[in-house]
Amino acid sequence: MKNDLLAQFNKAFESKARLSIMSVLMVNDSLSFSALKELLGLTDGNLATHLRALEESGYVAVQKQFVGRKPNTTYSATQPGQQAFADHLNALEEFIRTM
Amino acid sequence: MHESREHLQTLTEIRSLMERSSKFLSLSGLSGVSAGLIALSGATVVYTRLRTGLFTILHADPEATYTGTNQQDTQQFLVTVAVIILVLALLAGTYFTVRKARRQGLGVWNQSSRRLLWAMAVPLATGGVFCLALLHYNLIWLAFPATLIFYGMALLNGSKYTLRDVESLAYCEIGLGLISLFWPGYNLLTWAIGFGVLHIMYGLAMYYKYERTTA
């Protein structure tokens, strides 16, 4: 029983940083790299790595554009990403309830 | 058991992150108190200056329009006081909110504060222009309830992006503004209650609810 529930835990959200990134992208349409950094208190390298991992699993979409001459990259949660996040939260909740 | 507590903690953190990232929660109760005190002193200044004529100027026949230099003077005086109150209240409010954000270790100028400002700016600017139009047509008495109503609308719109409690304050301001519409002799009084007393009450409530322990 417990193992079944654990199986539903999404591997992509294993790290707390990734779970945090997804949770702030769930309530904001899109956020810039610097906004994410300020909110989560992660280092540049750390945040970039986690974002790339989420992007590779198709949970986060990256939009690159220019504001004047400065590159401005924003991130948003994709539809599958939102679904996966909701499933993961449900599994977490279920897990706690059965304890 | 240990694992369960860990997951529970994760859930709590997610919740707080979601709220913190989508809402501007650094609004200080003291901002409300200071704005209220400034509004009350402004209302007192207006009252002492216009004591003799106030109620006749703003009361009597609400449909009447007023002309003449006396009217012009009154209008200019009221607008000047209103602008001074607005600037002082904004300065004091910003000061306490910035201070609270600093203490929380958060930024003040971020996406959530920009969203809050924009949500409030549109109804407020509309209200400002509307009141200028009322003054243009010499309907001074109507400008008092109008500021209350538009301010309430701005708060209602902004409450989505900040502490939920702002919504209650918004309903009070709108309700008071509507009452004031049908109670033209007491415009200054309702205005003082709306911008003074309500702000102070709201500010103190917020201060004791969220800040007393951390301040």
Side-chain angles (χ1 to χ4, degrees):
Chain A
M1 174 64 186
K2 216 167 125 183
N3 284 336
D4 285 355
L5 282 171
L6 282 174
Q8 286 170 31
F9 278 13
N10 199 320
K11 280 274 188 289
F13 299 137
E14 242 172 6
S15 97
K16 203 179 234 166
R18 286 181 209 172
L19 202 55
S20 312
I21 292 171
M22 280 312 287
S23 57
V24 294
L25 288 180
M26 287 291 282
V27 286
N28 291 281
D29 287 342
S30 72
L31 285 174
S32 68
F33 190 87
S34 49
L36 279 171
K37 207 174 81 171
E38 193 192 334
L39 275 168
L40 306 173
L42 296 171
T43 61
D44 280 16
N46 207 344
L47 179 57
T49 317
H50 287 305
L51 280 171
R52 200 170 316 122
L54 286 170
E55 192 190 343
E56 275 161 17
S57 32
Y59 291 165
V60 162
V62 185
Q63 297 89 30
K64 288 191 171 152
Q65 66 263 75
F66 281 84
V67 174
R69 281 193 167 172
K70 280 167 84 182
N72 181 35
T73 312
T74 57
Y75 300 85
S76 56
T78 62
Q79 192 61 44
Q82 298 190 357
Q83 185 60 49
F85 180 80
D87 289 345
H88 184 79
L89 273 199
N90 286 338
L92 254 183
E93 204 175 50
E94 195 61 33
F95 181 81
I96 290 165
R97 202 173 299 147
T98 53
M99 286 300 284
Chain B
M1 207 57 215
H2 171 72
E3 212 173 341
S4 154
R5 204 176 317 132
E6 201 176 293
H7 288 314
L8 207 59
Q9 204 197 341
T10 310
L11 279 180
T12 320
E13 276 172 37
I14 289 175
R15 213 186 130 96
S16 119
L17 257 180
M18 284 172 135
E19 198 169 54
R20 205 146 45 84
S21 68
S22 61
K23 292 179 171 201
F24 185 67
L25 301 174
S26 307
L27 215 57
S28 171
L30 293 179
S31 298
V33 175
S34 58
L37 289 176
I38 290 164
L40 277 186
S41 31
T44 314
V45 168
V46 170
Y47 182 71
T48 37
R49 161 89 188 257
L50 299 181
R51 190 175 344 210
T52 46
L54 176 70
F55 289 137
T56 43
I57 287 169
L58 301 174
H59 181 212
D61 179 8
E63 305 263 326
T65 54
Y66 306 90
T67 45
T69 46
N70 185 31
Q71 179 64 21
Q72 213 69 38
D73 284 350
T74 310
Q75 186 161 321
Q76 214 158 34
F77 172 67
L78 284 175
V79 172
T80 314
V81 173
V83 170
I84 292 173
I85 293 175
L86 181 68
V87 171
L88 285 181
L90 279 178
L91 283 179
T94 314
Y95 169 75
F96 285 115
T97 290
V98 167
R99 197 180 71 157
K100 183 178 170 191
R102 291 249 168 86
R103 283 192 180 160
Q104 290 176 323
L106 298 171
V108 194
W109 192 238
N110 51 34
Q111 197 161 6
S112 45
S113 63
R114 276 195 294 267
R115 261 191 301 219
L116 173 63
L117 279 183
W118 183 246
M120 289 190 64
V122 176
L124 276 184
T126 313
V129 175
F130 187 84
C131 287
L132 285 181
L134 290 177
L135 291 182
H136 180 70
Y137 296 111
N138 282 322
L139 293 165
I140 298 185
W141 74 274
L142 255 186
F144 283 77
T147 53
L148 280 170
I149 292 169
F150 278 101
Y151 179 62
M153 301 289 230
L155 286 180
L156 189 61
N157 205 27
S159 68
K160 291 187 294 240
Y161 304 113
T162 183
L163 305 165
R164 253 354 261 193
D165 312 79
V166 171
E167 199 182 337
S168 329
L169 178 63
Y171 292 133
C172 293
E173 301 284 2
I174 295 172
L176 197 64
L178 293 176
I179 292 172
S180 176
L181 274 180
F182 297 99
W183 207 23
Y186 300 90
N187 281 322
L188 188 63
L189 181 68
T190 43
W191 193 92
I193 293 174
F195 285 100
V197 179
L198 281 183
H199 270 144
I200 294 172
M201 276 166 41
Y202 162 83
L204 286 178
M206 289 307 99
Y207 185 73
Y208 283 108
K209 188 169 170 189
Y210 298 111
E211 290 165 64
R212 196 177 39 166
T213 44
T214 54

